[in-house]
């Protein structure tokens, strides 16, 4: 995926991505069936789909080939590049048989719920890639916002209307692509927020509202007064009404918080993390599995290692690539 140059980046967006990817890593290592665990999933995946919608530009059939070349195919190069690398790592670390490894490669091609272990998070990229493509085409052929909003509401409701693809069809959809029904509306909301409500959701008072809402929902969930689950990969989705607005407000509050801390010491580190979310997204589960081979690490160790080791490897790879190309070393960009 082509990376924007530094002068084009908006720091609070990278800070928000940094907070989001830390929440993703924490969610994968935190004990399940707890309110805190459930609450992480209310917003961290919607966050990335919303941010993905910020800069989507219209695409039509005459420009589709260029879009596929510049945006779509590079995502799948990363998908298969990281996937094959991690499968080989799995073969060595877990001492897998050749038959298991070949089947893992087959499952990588199929994607979605077929993937577990080292590759369990890979569903995100297939859903993200196709959601981006479809949203770009919608922006090209349905430029009126109200028409898109009506369509997105219908898609979102449809996405919540069945338990999962395997229960409805008898088999899982390749790449979890039926989740586009849920991801695409979040992408549209992100685009709308960025273009029409950015000045509102980045205000400090909005963060206060979002924190208050989160506290109310958290308390209600812990007391069993609501049942709000938003596990996108497994399509374990409840309460479409809550899912339609609560993640939006929570993510808006996070955008406001990200803007507040931008430029501080913590903000600068979150900015660096936010510029390398894909390596962390792809690699943190493998880091956790490898660490567990050496003992029983606590969650703090798992989260720190799950963020920093892929971050360091990504940075080292960029340095090597830059030196190989004859340029100077550079920081995150």
């Amino acid at each position: 995926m082509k990376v924007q140059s530094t002068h084009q980046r908006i720091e609070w967006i990278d800070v928000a991505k940094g907070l989001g990817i830390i929440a993703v890593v924490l969610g994968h290592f935190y004990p399940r069936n707890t309110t805190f665990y459930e609450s992480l999933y209310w917003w961290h995946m919607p966050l990335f789909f919303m941010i993905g919608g910020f800069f989507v530009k219209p695409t039509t059939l005459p420009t589709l080939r260029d879009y596929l070349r510049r945006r779509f195919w590079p995502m799948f190069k990363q998908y298969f590049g990281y996937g094959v690398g991690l499968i080989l790592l799995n073969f060595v670390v877990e001492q897998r048989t050749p038959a298991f490894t070949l089947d893992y490669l087959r499952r990588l091609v199929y994607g979605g719920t077929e993937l577990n272990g080292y590759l369990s998070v890979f569903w995100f990229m297939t859903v993200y890639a196709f959601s981006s493509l479809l949203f770009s085409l919608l922006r090209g052929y349905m430029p009126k916002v109200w028409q898109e909003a009506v369509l997105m509401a219908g898609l979102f409701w449809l996405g919540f209307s069945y338990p999962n693809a395997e229960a409805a069809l008898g088999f899982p959809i390749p790449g979890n692509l039926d989740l586009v029904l849920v991801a695409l509306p979040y992408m549209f909301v992100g685009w709308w927020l960025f273009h029409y409500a950015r000045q509102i959701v980045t205000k400090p008072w909005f963060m206060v509202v979002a924190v208050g809402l989160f506290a109310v929902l958290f308390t209600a969930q812990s007391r069993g007064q609501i049942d709000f689950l938003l596990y996108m990969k497994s399509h374990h989705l409840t309460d479409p009404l809550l899912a339609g607005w609560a993640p939006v407000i929570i993510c808006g509050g996070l955008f406001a918080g990200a803007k507040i801390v931008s430029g501080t010491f913590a903000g600068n580190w979150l900015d660096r993390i936010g510029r390398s979310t894909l390596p962390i997204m792809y690699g943190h589960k493998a880091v956790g599995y490898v660490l567990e081979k050496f003992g029983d690490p606590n969650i703090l160790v798992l989260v720190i290692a799950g963020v920093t080791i892929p971050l360091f490897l990504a940075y080292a790879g960029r340095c090597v690539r830059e030196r190989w190309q004859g340029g100077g070393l550079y920081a995150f960009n």
Side-chain angles (χ1 to χ4, degrees):
M1 192 186 309
K2 187 176 180 180
V3 180
Q4 293 174 301
S5 61
T6 304
H7 73 275
Q8 294 175 308
R9 303 188 79 102
I10 299 175
E11 186 177 354
W12 66 262
I13 296 177
D14 284 320
V15 171
K17 289 167 62 181
L19 289 167
I21 198 63
I22 291 172
V24 170
V25 176
L26 178 59
H28 285 138
F29 295 138
Y30 198 83
R32 300 190 177 197
N33 301 318
T34 63
T35 303
F36 181 74
Y37 174 84
E38 293 164 354
S39 69
L40 289 172
Y41 285 82
W42 293 345
W43 61 273
H44 66 35
M45 282 294 101
L47 173 78
F48 284 101
F49 289 116
M50 287 182 207
I51 292 176
F54 282 2
F55 302 108
V56 167
K57 296 180 180 179
T59 297
T60 57
L61 289 179
T63 60
L64 179 59
R65 182 175 180 180
D66 183 61
Y67 177 89
L68 294 175
R69 178 183 60 83
R70 291 185 303 104
R71 297 282 300 172
F72 193 77
W73 299 127
M75 294 185 201
F76 280 93
K77 288 180 182 177
Q78 288 181 326
Y79 175 90
F80 285 107
Y82 279 105
V84 171
L86 290 174
I87 288 173
L88 293 177
L89 179 65
N90 178 269
F91 176 77
V92 174
V93 173
E94 307 294 337
Q95 298 181 340
R96 301 295 190 184
T97 64
F100 180 93
T101 300
L102 288 174
D103 185 64
Y104 215 171
L105 290 168
R106 176 197 64 79
R107 287 186 283 139
L108 176 66
V109 174
Y110 197 91
T113 55
E114 289 282 286
L115 293 172
N116 55 14
Y118 285 32
L119 308 187
S120 63
V121 299
F122 275 51
W123 69 271
F124 170 79
M125 185 49 64
T126 52
V127 175
Y128 181 87
F130 278 93
S131 296
S132 299
L133 172 62
L134 291 175
F135 187 41
S136 295
L137 289 169
L138 283 173
R139 291 264 68 238
Y141 287 102
M142 191 180 287
K144 293 185 177 180
V145 176
W146 71 268
Q147 293 175 328
E148 290 185 45
V150 171
L151 176 62
M152 295 302 168
L155 293 177
F156 195 74
W157 195 268
L158 181 61
F160 277 76
S161 66
Y162 61 99
N164 57 64
E166 191 164 7
L169 303 174
F171 60 90
I173 298 293
N176 266 30
L177 293 186
D178 60 311
L179 287 180
V180 169
L181 295 170
V182 178
L184 190 56
Y186 282 133
M187 199 166 277
F188 166 76
V189 169
W191 174 85
W192 188 88
L193 287 176
F194 188 76
H195 290 275
Y196 294 99
R198 192 192 332 176
Q199 298 305 316
I200 296 175
V201 299
T202 54
K203 295 291 186 182
W205 66 262
F206 198 91
M207 183 182 69
V208 175
V209 172
V211 170
L213 169 68
F214 183 85
V216 169
L217 292 176
F218 189 95
T219 301
Q221 185 85 353
S222 66
R223 293 177 177 176
Q225 296 169 334
I226 61 173
D227 179 26
F228 182 21
L229 302 176
L230 196 57
Y231 302 141
M232 292 185 68
K233 179 186 177 182
S234 61
H235 206 277
H236 192 178
L237 311 173
T238 64
D239 206 327
L241 292 177
L242 265 180
W245 60 268
V248 178
I249 295 177
I250 294 170
C251 289
L254 186 134
F255 296 147
K259 192 169 185 180
I260 290 171
V261 303
S262 293
T264 66
F265 177 81
N268 290 337
W269 275 104
L270 288 168
D271 176 54
R272 287 178 170 86
I273 293 170
R275 293 170 185 242
S276 297
T277 51
L278 278 181
I280 297 170
M281 180 79 76
Y282 280 128
H284 71 275
K285 289 294 292 288
V287 169
Y289 280 111
V290 172
L291 285 179
E292 288 171 354
K293 291 291 182 181
F294 298 96
D296 186 20
N298 63 44
I299 189 167
L300 182 61
V301 171
L302 287 170
V303 171
I304 292 174
V307 172
T308 58
I309 291 176
L311 188 68
F312 171 77
L313 293 175
Y315 177 69
R318 291 172 188 174
C319 292
V320 170
R321 186 166 61 249
E322 181 71 9
R323 179 167 289 180
W324 180 266
Q325 294 171 351
L329 299 181
Y330 64 103
F332 303 92
N333 60 22

